[in-house]
Amino acid sequence: MTNPSGHALPANSTAESHDGDFGFTLMDLRKLMELRASEGVTHINVHCGGVQNICSRLKTSPVEGLSGNPADLEKRRLKFGQNLIPPKKPKTFLELVWEALQDVTLIILEIAAIISLVLSFYRPPGGSNELCGQVASSPEDENEAEAGWIEGAAILFSVIIVVLVTAFNDWSKEKQFRGLQNRIEQEQKFSIIRNGQLIQLPVAEIVVGDIAQIKYGDLLPADGILIQGNDLKIDESSLTGESDHVKKSLERDPMLLSGTHVMEGSGRMVVTAVGINSQTGIIFTLLGASEDDEEEKKKKGKKQGVPENRNKAKTQDGVALEIQPLNSQEGIDNEEKEKKLSKVPRKEKSVLQGKLTRLAVQIGKAGLIMSAITVVILILYFVIDNFVIQGRTWLPECTPVYIQYFVKFFIIGVTVLVVAVPEGLPLAVTISLAYSVKKMMKDNNLVRHLDACETMGNATAICSDKTGTLTMNRMTVVQAYIGGTHYHQIPSPDVLPPRVLDLIVNGISINSAYTSKILPPEKEGGLPRQVGNKTECALLGFVTDLKHDYQAVRSEVPEEKLYKVYTFNSVRKSMSTVIRKPGGGFCMFSKGASEIILRKCNRILDRKGEALPFKNKDRDDMVRTVIEPMACEGLRTICIAYRDFDDAEPSWDNENEILTELTCIAVVGIEDPVRPEVPDAIAKCKRAGITVRMVTGDNINTARAIATKCGILTPGDDFLCLEGKEFNRLIRNEKGEVEQEKLDKIWPKLRVLARSSPTDKHTLVKGIIDSTVGEQRQVVAVTGDGTNDGPALKKADVGFAMGIAGTDVAKEASDIILTDDNFTSIVKAVMWGRNVYDSISKFLQFQLTVNVVAVIVAFTGACITQDSPLKAVQMLWVNLIMDTFASLALATEPPTESLLKRRPYGRNKPLISRTMMKNILGHAVYQLAVIFFLVFAGERFFDIDSGRKAPLHSPPSQHYTIVFNTFVLMQLFNEINSRKIHGEKNVFSGIYRNLIFCSVVLGTFICQVLIVEFGGKPFSCAKLTLSQWLWCLFIGIGELLWGQVISAIPTQSLKFLKEAGHGTAKEEITKDAEGLDEIDHAEMELRRGQILWFRGLNRIQTQIKVVKAFHSSLHESIQKPKNQNSIHNFMTHPEFAIDEESPRTPLLEEQEDEDLEVSKTGTRGLPLDDEITPRANQNTNVVDCNQVQIVTSHSDSPLQNLETSV
């Protein structure tokens, strides 16, 4: 693994100065990166003259990197491309307008309005015939009759306004998501060496020839060739579908590909392909090229479209890759499957979306029935009145007049429907979520999946890491045990024997990642900056405190001279580095968790620096007298040890043999202080009914001490603190399987899980989520920073990744990224989540009051007076106030601390509580009483002409204008009432903090004045006098007083009130659905950027040559949706993410078995090596891809596409 450092190239300045071209063309490098394993090694050594020669031909130094000269970087970008994949074009404003026009109710209204317009211009002979019933006949009314077209035109105009508002909302939403996307991409940085300095460079700025430093947890941003590596293992399942981690080394397989994850080890690579020329980019380009042809193929319905497609893709991109053609049988199967899956009952993700969809459907049905009844009654009333009671006959010349009446009735019916259907709901949800996401960024929460924001409001449990989240992640060594003495302060170097001091300094400096450093403070008088692994930084600080320079030791032993490195991982819980000794033989330094390393020690250094035997009894004494006291003070204990190999070279791969018979040098206690704001945040969580559990890899005593300091554990409480081993013993049966019943006895009391592995964390999270203890299903949030936290982050309802300490893999698996790694930000996320829920409830309370009143008024008015008191255009204006403006006003209320004083709502809690139902019905009673009084007695009260039973085309009356005006003003004041949903008295509290609310209410009022005074015929309004205006205002303000009366009535006394908008009840969750997430009726929320794990032990993998598998994955990817926007985001697509519970997650409940048949035959089309039985096929990745990808392609709403691309 060592590289002779003698091959170091001349400095870049000279390499770049001879201005010849690079030694490779773009195609050379592309062809090179298509090779795998031994083929690659042979090609590099035979054709390219080795990795060092590749570096020199790319004019870069493997040690110093590029010089960073802008002209040189620009030249590289021009020749080899940028590290960007061009994003999919956003929808244009016109496309969004077209989408908004697809709304069924709007289409019905448009048709009705157009018929109304056409008829109004048609003047039939004898149209003014007395026999045709009441048509305006007085001379001054003739002009009015001429203006009959106005109503139709006004409806069309209103429809256009509604469409434009909707399209603009969608457009701004899309723009926001693009901004969020860019922000996520800009945050993605990578360690690059330039001019000998290690810098963090945005992924898009990486060029061919850059030297990248790679480490555990990285997501590779470009293709490259390994220059030097330590124990490097890569997860390439995103490209090949192979679940096994691939070992990378110069001798065996030095090819590193973009979009793959570093699962272990570290190293350096030279970048050879970026952007659309990297392996990921090539797939991406093929995907884009083939999508247009796919669409054409669908239109023509030809099976042979696929092979043509392949050739096109090939010629367009010049990619020398064969894609295996689909045979026609599979084409047919896929079509069948597409048909089937389009009927799939979709998976429900968001609690709120599910409840809202059910509610909207119920309201919509009720509205449809009401509008149909309205139309039928109006038509019957008219027919019976005219042809039965008045005994008229249907004259041919009267037909157009009658049709005009019928169209008017139809328009009234449609208007009732428009007002009844709460199409503002999705808008309110979107505005509320988008607003929250934007504001949450300021609170250090970068939301990657919209629904996570709302789910967080329902969270009942948080499983948090300790280091960095609850603590400051600023580690310092404060105690040490060296040579039989326990030092409570750091000892002076003079006290220690020179040999021991030398071993400590070398053991720490060499046996830590060379990326971990301590840099001088940014500000004078500040603390030194810790870069890299914080525990290693603490140990390096310890070396500095012992008056030694770790950098000098590292210069003496550069990374190339390290003979073998066993990097830290969650299984080993230790790190060891082997170096060659100058006099022959080897020396290995080890460090790790004290209990683990001490178990492998058989000697210990005494105060003179001589090795003494170290028996089990000595170890137990040391644990009792040194390690436990340190741990009880909340210190993390690390043991440093070494071993000499003076004989023949051992077999380094036999790890168990190597990591034994160590000699203990020292044990140090590292302090990581609790963040000062954490205890208060945890107290808030407890008040809010959220249980915080600490899951840490640390010693149980350390964990208990920190948990007590944080307030997770309080003295005298009946809680459990367990270690990972004990936890597994308690929850598993004899076969080693987790039993839910056993787990249910543990988790309610568990508060601290120490010495836990990532698997334990996943088991705990899954156990809590699947548990049926208690009436509510638990909603669990999890924090994680390591690569192995991926499964737990994915399984949780909301996964939080650390923005600073988190690995790329953890971030990809998460829903929200904490940009400051701080626990208090999680509490803010809870507050925002609850605020979203409350905002939607406020909007619902307001909207449903308007719905109930408007529908009843239109219905009864139509039945009794043969005309709706509220005209179609007026209804549309009310709809606009109600939907768009109210959702804007009520959905943007900022959160308050009071949100954290109640318990979580839970999944089954109805959206409309009994208090809200009391408010809705109470206000509806007031409004209906007022409006019916005005409709039937208003003309006498105001001493004006009656507007009832006005003939067709008659001018607008003051009477009905007062009705309309009063109705709107009552809604405006009720909007203020709707700010509170828990029966609070003060509806004005904090109103000034919400400028949007104030401006919406004022703006609506001004518009209303203009409509009434200048709206005239289009709005069916007549001007009102000042006294009439004051009466309208007085009645409107009465809403506020009536609200106080309603809030004074105790909800408990009103037993008849029902709740509405329930979540899915437990019985409804079928066994099949339990293993899945939840079902989202509103939008299939395929979670993007997921980490690509193969976790099921029961998956039999068909072993295929890597190249073939890679090609077949290319072939599958042709059909995948293309809404990813960066290389980083591309490979992490859920097609490959596999659920570990079952060999195959059924997406269909009824058609499960047929589907499996289709899946099998679908796979058989691929002639893969060594494949014998369809049964083996069933377990390959291809099946899962096919099942998931078709569902993906169906979700085509703008919200879905955007959300997924985030």
Side-chain angles (χ1 to χ4, degrees):
M1 300 200 71
T2 58
N3 291 333
S5 48
H7 283 289
L9 298 169
N12 307 342
S13 47
T14 54
E16 284 160 16
S17 62
H18 49 78
D19 205 38
D21 218 337
F22 299 101
F24 288 104
T25 64
L26 178 61
M27 287 315 297
D28 290 342
L29 290 175
R30 268 172 80 147
K31 288 205 177 80
L32 171 62
M33 291 319 293
E34 276 159 30
L35 302 171
R36 300 280 174 273
S38 54
E39 292 175 14
V41 175
T42 315
H43 190 89
I44 288 169
N45 293 333
V46 176
H47 299 283
C48 305
V51 181
Q52 301 291 334
N53 196 36
I54 290 177
C55 291
S56 58
R57 283 166 74 178
L58 286 173
K59 300 182 185 170
T60 182
S61 151
V63 182
E64 299 281 307
L66 296 175
S67 67
N69 170 9
D72 172 52
L73 296 178
E74 194 47 47
K75 194 167 148 196
R76 287 172 192 273
R77 283 195 193 102
L78 288 172
K79 184 161 175 64
F80 300 113
Q82 285 185 298
N83 199 20
L84 284 173
I85 287 181
K88 187 183 170 191
K89 282 217 281 293
K91 286 188 176 158
T92 60
F93 186 70
L94 286 175
E95 282 176 305
L96 292 169
V97 167
W98 178 244
E99 274 182 14
L101 276 169
Q102 309 299 311
D103 186 357
V104 183
T105 44
L106 287 181
I107 291 171
I108 296 172
L109 263 182
E110 286 155 24
I111 293 168
I114 289 165
I115 294 173
S116 169
L117 263 178
V118 171
L119 289 174
S120 66
F121 288 118
Y122 174 60
R123 304 240 66 74
S128 55
N129 193 331
E130 282 295 314
L131 300 170
C132 295
Q134 282 186 314
V135 179
S137 52
S138 58
E140 67 270 19
D141 289 351
E142 283 300 312
N143 300 333
E144 295 293 348
E146 293 295 319
W149 61 274
I150 291 180
E151 186 168 27
I155 293 176
L156 278 182
F157 183 69
S158 308
V159 167
I160 290 166
I161 295 283
V162 171
V163 165
L164 287 176
V165 168
T166 314
F168 179 74
N169 274 318
D170 285 345
W171 178 77
S172 56
K173 186 169 71 191
E174 186 143 346
K175 202 167 137 218
Q176 258 181 344
F177 281 117
R178 298 256 158 198
L180 182 67
Q181 178 83 359
N182 294 340
R183 163 104 190 242
I184 289 176
E185 280 173 23
Q186 283 158 10
E187 292 221 333
Q188 219 122 30
K189 291 195 162 78
F190 208 78
S191 306
I192 300 290
I193 298 169
R194 285 208 180 153
N195 241 344
Q197 294 292 314
L198 186 68
I199 56 168
Q200 291 293 314
L201 201 67
V203 165
E205 290 178 29
I206 294 172
V207 294
V208 169
D210 261 324
I211 304 296
Q213 183 93 40
I214 57 177
K215 61 182 187 307
Y216 157 83
D218 282 343
L219 185 61
L220 299 184
D223 291 356
I225 295 170
L226 191 66
I227 300 174
Q228 174 267 325
N230 306 318
D231 199 19
L232 198 60
K233 286 186 187 164
I234 307 277
D235 173 10
E236 290 187 347
S237 59
S238 52
L239 281 175
T240 63
E242 288 292 323
S243 60
D244 302 335
H245 296 168
V246 185
K247 276 192 175 175
K248 296 286 179 181
S249 65
L250 291 172
E251 301 81 46
R252 289 166 57 184
D253 184 0
M255 314 308 252
L256 300 170
L257 306 173
S258 57
T260 58
H261 295 118
V262 182
M263 302 309 285
E264 241 177 78
S266 62
R268 285 209 312 275
M269 73 170 189
V270 57
V271 175
T272 53
V274 293
I276 52 173
N277 301 307
S278 66
Q279 292 303 297
T280 302
I282 290 169
I283 297 176
F284 204 84
T285 327
L286 286 172
L287 218 155
S290 64
E291 197 161 89
D292 307 333
D293 307 336
E294 285 276 331
E295 280 173 20
E296 278 171 35
K297 186 189 81 180
K298 273 182 195 165
K299 281 177 199 164
K300 294 175 191 168
K302 287 184 183 174
K303 299 286 171 289
Q304 64 268 33
V306 183
E308 293 166 18
N309 202 9
R310 178 189 90 200
N311 299 336
K312 267 191 192 172
K314 250 170 90 172
T315 50
Q316 176 174 333
D317 301 314
V319 183
L321 283 177
E322 283 177 75
I323 302 166
Q324 312 213 330
L326 283 167
N327 58 13
S328 58
Q329 178 55 39
E330 199 195 325
I332 297 162
D333 289 340
N334 270 344
E335 284 208 357
E336 282 174 23
K337 198 182 303 176
E338 288 224 12
K339 279 177 198 160
K340 276 190 189 174
L341 283 175
S342 59
K343 300 184 191 111
V344 166
R346 297 178 157 190
K347 275 186 55 183
E348 185 170 24
K349 184 68 208 88
S350 154
V351 187
L352 184 65
Q353 290 281 24
K355 291 179 182 178
L356 279 177
T357 311
R358 293 167 79 117
L359 193 68
V361 168
Q362 288 163 2
I363 296 171
K365 280 181 187 165
L368 194 63
I369 293 165
M370 289 291 278
S371 64
I373 294 173
T374 310
V375 174
V376 169
I377 289 179
L378 283 170
I379 291 173
L380 285 176
Y381 190 103
F382 177 79
V383 169
I384 291 168
D385 185 50
N386 271 303
F387 303 121
V388 178
I389 297 171
Q390 297 185 26
R392 292 198 181 99
T393 50
W394 186 301
L395 301 171
E397 64 267 25
C398 289
T399 305
V401 179
Y402 294 147
I403 289 176
Q404 249 174 307
Y405 266 112
F406 292 150
V407 169
K408 180 182 161 189
F409 298 151
F410 183 63
I411 289 177
I412 291 170
V414 173
T415 319
V416 171
L417 179 64
V418 169
V419 175
V421 173
E423 64 270 32
L425 270 184
L427 185 66
V429 176
T430 308
I431 291 178
S432 184
L433 287 173
Y435 172 76
S436 303
V437 165
K438 208 170 169 187
K439 293 286 185 190
M440 280 170 82
M441 271 191 187
K442 291 179 184 163
D443 284 341
N444 304 307
N445 283 293
L446 180 61
V447 180
R448 297 180 72 244
H449 300 127
L450 261 194
D451 58 357
C453 168
E454 167 262 314
T455 311
M456 211 42 225
N458 285 315
T460 55
I462 299 174
C463 295
S464 172
D465 278 354
K466 174 178 77 69
T467 310
T469 315
L470 301 172
T471 61
M472 289 170 81
N473 205 9
R474 168 129 207 126
M475 310 251 188
T476 38
V477 174
V478 290
Q479 295 187 20
Y481 177 84
I482 305 169
T485 315
H486 187 167
Y487 298 96
H488 287 273
Q489 266 92 32
I490 293 200
S492 149
D494 320 334
V495 183
L496 306 176
R499 177 164 183 261
V500 176
L501 189 59
D502 201 41
L503 280 169
I504 289 174
V505 171
N506 285 335
I508 291 173
S509 307
I510 294 168
N511 185 32
S512 53
Y514 280 32
T515 46
S516 299
K517 297 182 183 135
I518 293 182
L519 302 178
E522 283 173 333
K523 295 180 188 149
E524 279 203 20
L527 294 165
R529 278 182 299 149
Q530 296 185 337
V531 178
N533 183 302
K534 297 295 191 281
T535 309
E536 291 185 341
C537 288
L539 293 169
L540 294 171
F542 180 50
V543 171
T544 314
D545 291 341
L546 293 173
K547 311 281 188 290
H548 278 69
D549 181 13
Y550 67 88
Q551 205 57 57
V553 179
R554 286 181 174 181
S555 310
E556 236 173 87
V557 188
E559 225 169 335
E560 290 77 30
K561 284 194 184 173
L562 304 180
Y563 193 78
K564 171 81 181 162
V565 181
Y566 299 97
T567 49
F568 180 89
N569 65 30
S570 59
V571 179
R572 279 189 199 123
K573 289 207 190 290
S574 68
M575 174 180 177
S576 307
T577 305
V578 182
I579 55 169
R580 233 185 240 281
K581 292 201 283 193
F586 301 91
C587 177
M588 177 178 78
F589 293 110
S590 290
K591 69 166 192 291
S594 51
E595 304 100 291
I596 288 164
I597 296 286
L598 283 177
R599 237 176 266 141
K600 296 174 180 173
C601 289
N602 64 354
R603 296 206 289 291
I604 188 165
L605 296 181
D606 66 0
R607 63 187 60 220
K608 291 174 189 157
E610 288 168 12
L612 299 176
F614 185 61
K615 300 191 176 64
N616 284 350
K617 179 181 169 298
D618 303 328
R619 187 173 71 236
D620 296 342
D621 287 345
M622 190 164 164
V623 166
R624 200 175 59 255
T625 57
V626 178
I627 292 169
E628 282 185 3
M630 281 188 187
C632 290
E633 290 177 43
L635 303 186
R636 168 183 281 189
T637 55
I638 299 285
C639 177
I640 303 160
Y642 78 103
R643 179 180 178 185
D644 283 324
F645 297 92
D646 293 324
D647 315 324
E649 181 174 349
S651 156
W652 298 114
D653 288 337
N654 191 349
E655 219 178 291
N656 294 340
E657 293 292 310
I658 304 288
L659 291 177
T660 51
E661 299 180 15
L662 305 179
T663 306
C664 171
I665 309 170
V667 172
V668 295
I670 297 176
E671 182 181 47
D672 185 9
V674 171
R675 288 179 182 267
E677 63 275 23
V678 162
D680 184 41
I682 285 176
K684 278 183 191 166
C685 282
K686 284 186 174 175
R687 266 207 311 278
I690 301 168
T691 310
V692 182
R693 293 179 175 84
M694 181 201 285
V695 183
T696 175
D698 246 347
N699 176 313
I700 189 155
N701 294 318
T702 312
R704 194 184 282 124
I706 299 280
T708 311
K709 284 182 190 171
C710 292
I712 292 174
L713 295 177
T714 42
D717 283 350
D718 174 25
F719 289 136
L720 286 176
C721 297
L722 293 178
E723 280 197 340
K725 274 186 184 170
E726 178 69 5
F727 173 67
N728 278 307
R729 193 180 62 71
L730 291 170
I731 63 165
R732 292 179 188 273
N733 59 18
E734 304 79 61
K735 294 178 190 167
E737 296 160 348
V738 177
E739 285 196 1
Q740 187 65 44
E741 282 177 27
K742 291 187 173 184
L743 191 52
D744 285 346
K745 290 174 187 162
I746 303 270
W747 73 258
K749 286 187 177 180
L750 184 68
R751 290 294 176 274
V752 175
L753 185 57
R755 281 279 175 256
S756 67
S757 67
T759 324
D760 297 338
K761 191 177 197 172
H762 180 257
T763 308
L764 176 66
V765 171
K766 182 178 176 302
I768 297 178
I769 289 176
D770 293 349
S771 174
T772 49
V773 176
E775 67 276 10
Q776 299 282 4
R777 136 131 152 66
Q778 297 280 310
V779 178
V780 184
V782 168
T783 69
D785 51 8
T787 301
N788 304 60
D789 289 330
L793 287 170
K794 253 176 64 185
K795 181 66 196 168
D797 293 286
V798 183
F800 285 91
M802 302 296 139
I804 303 166
T807 59
D808 292 346
V809 180
K811 288 178 190 171
E812 293 286 297
S814 68
D815 301 295
I816 298 178
I817 296 172
L818 295 178
T819 52
D820 63 346
D821 288 15
N822 193 336
F823 186 82
T824 49
S825 304
I826 299 177
V827 180
K828 286 184 183 145
V830 171
M831 214 154 89
W832 275 108
R834 291 185 174 192
N835 192 55
V836 168
Y837 203 95
D838 278 10
S839 297
I840 309 293
S841 295
K842 288 171 189 174
F843 173 70
L844 267 176
Q845 180 174 304
F846 172 69
Q847 163 129 20
L848 292 180
T849 312
V850 188
N851 274 10
V852 169
V853 176
V855 169
I856 293 176
V857 165
F859 177 71
T860 49
C863 296
I864 297 167
T865 66
Q866 217 184 332
D867 181 11
S868 169
L870 299 172
K871 301 290 179 284
V873 181
Q874 296 174 351
M875 288 272 218
L876 284 171
W877 164 238
V878 168
N879 211 31
L880 199 68
I881 303 178
M882 186 165 97
D883 281 1
T884 310
F885 297 149
S887 61
L888 198 65
L890 292 168
T892 52
E893 287 271 332
T896 57
E897 286 284 332
S898 61
L899 289 167
L900 293 175
K901 288 179 184 155
R902 61 170 175 77
R903 303 188 72 72
Y905 282 142
R907 290 184 166 258
N908 311 343
K909 169 99 168 50
L911 268 176
I912 301 170
S913 63
R914 291 179 60 188
T915 308
M916 284 168 65
M917 194 59 93
K918 175 184 77 175
N919 292 343
I920 291 168
L921 296 178
H923 288 292
V925 166
Y926 173 82
Q927 292 182 14
L928 286 170
V930 166
I931 284 174
F932 284 140
F933 170 75
L934 289 176
V935 168
F936 296 110
E939 73 276 22
R940 290 197 293 282
F941 182 80
F942 286 108
D943 194 22
I944 47 179
D945 293 337
S946 168
R948 288 195 304 284
K949 298 204 178 178
L952 201 64
H953 303 315
S954 60
S957 65
Q958 268 191 334
H959 179 197
Y960 271 15
T961 305
I962 290 174
V963 173
F964 164 60
N965 197 25
T966 310
F967 179 67
V968 171
L969 290 177
M970 285 196 294
Q971 304 320 324
L972 263 188
F973 286 103
N974 193 30
E975 200 167 329
I976 299 173
N977 276 330
S978 297
R979 290 184 68 247
K980 302 292 174 208
I981 50 173
H982 298 299
E984 298 92 332
K985 292 273 187 194
N986 184 2
V987 290
F988 290 100
S989 71
I991 196 165
Y992 303 117
R993 286 196 306 139
N994 189 356
L995 285 174
I996 300 179
F997 184 86
C998 299
S999 45
V1000 163
V1001 171
L1002 267 172
T1004 313
F1005 180 68
I1006 291 164
C1007 289
Q1008 179 63 17
V1009 173
L1010 295 175
I1011 285 172
V1012 170
E1013 292 302 306
F1014 307 106
K1017 180 74 184 171
F1019 279 96
S1020 313
C1021 285
K1023 291 185 177 179
L1024 298 183
T1025 62
L1026 183 64
S1027 70
Q1028 287 167 344
W1029 262 106
L1030 289 172
W1031 270 109
C1032 293
L1033 260 177
F1034 170 71
I1035 295 169
I1037 293 169
E1039 263 290 335
L1040 292 174
L1041 303 172
W1042 184 247
Q1044 294 300 313
V1045 174
I1046 292 174
S1047 64
I1049 304 168
T1051 312
Q1052 294 78 13
S1053 60
L1054 304 172
K1055 293 277 186 283
F1056 60 89
L1057 287 180
K1058 293 278 186 290
E1059 300 159 322
H1062 286 266
T1064 318
K1066 260 194 194 154
E1067 305 79 75
E1068 293 172 47
I1069 302 174
T1070 59
K1071 275 286 169 221
D1072 290 339
E1074 272 179 22
L1076 314 178
D1077 282 304
E1078 292 69 296
I1079 298 145
D1080 175 37
H1081 309 290
E1083 212 54 88
M1084 177 82 177
E1085 205 358 81
L1086 280 175
R1087 296 172 67 159
R1088 279 254 326 100
Q1090 301 290 40
I1091 198 176
L1092 301 141
W1093 293 92
F1094 246 83
R1095 304 193 311 261
L1097 294 172
N1098 49 6
R1099 290 227 166 236
I1100 311 156
Q1101 270 299 318
T1102 315
Q1103 293 305 318
I1104 308 164
K1105 284 184 188 167
V1106 177
V1107 182
K1108 288 247 180 173
F1110 178 40
H1111 286 172
S1112 66
S1113 79
L1114 266 178
H1115 143 69
E1116 294 154 26
S1117 69
I1118 294 276
Q1119 305 155 308
K1120 283 182 220 161
K1122 61 162 185 179
N1123 53 1
Q1124 293 84 343
N1125 279 20
S1126 79
I1127 284 203
H1128 246 65
N1129 289 355
F1130 172 65
M1131 278 333 289
T1132 44
H1133 211 247
E1135 276 84 329
F1136 296 99
I1138 277 156
D1139 221 330
E1140 113 203 66
E1141 276 80 38
S1142 55
R1144 175 187 155 279
T1145 310
L1147 289 172
L1148 291 162
E1149 283 168 27
E1150 311 83 359
Q1151 302 159 326
E1152 202 171 303
D1153 301 326
E1154 305 162 51
D1155 207 298
L1156 189 55
E1157 286 303 314
V1158 176
S1159 307
K1160 284 189 205 167
T1161 45
T1163 321
R1164 236 175 269 149
L1166 295 174
L1168 301 173
D1169 273 15
D1170 310 327
E1171 259 181 29
I1172 307 144
T1173 61
R1175 173 58 51 193
N1177 267 351
Q1178 190 192 331
N1179 287 318
T1180 61
N1181 208 25
V1182 186
V1183 181
D1184 283 74
C1185 296
N1186 286 343
Q1187 285 167 8
V1188 183
Q1189 87 204 17
I1190 295 163
V1191 181
T1192 319
S1193 60
H1194 285 301
S1195 40
D1196 49 4
S1197 80
L1199 174 60
Q1200 159 69 20
N1201 285 347
L1202 280 163
E1203 201 153 326
T1204 345
S1205 67
V1206 177

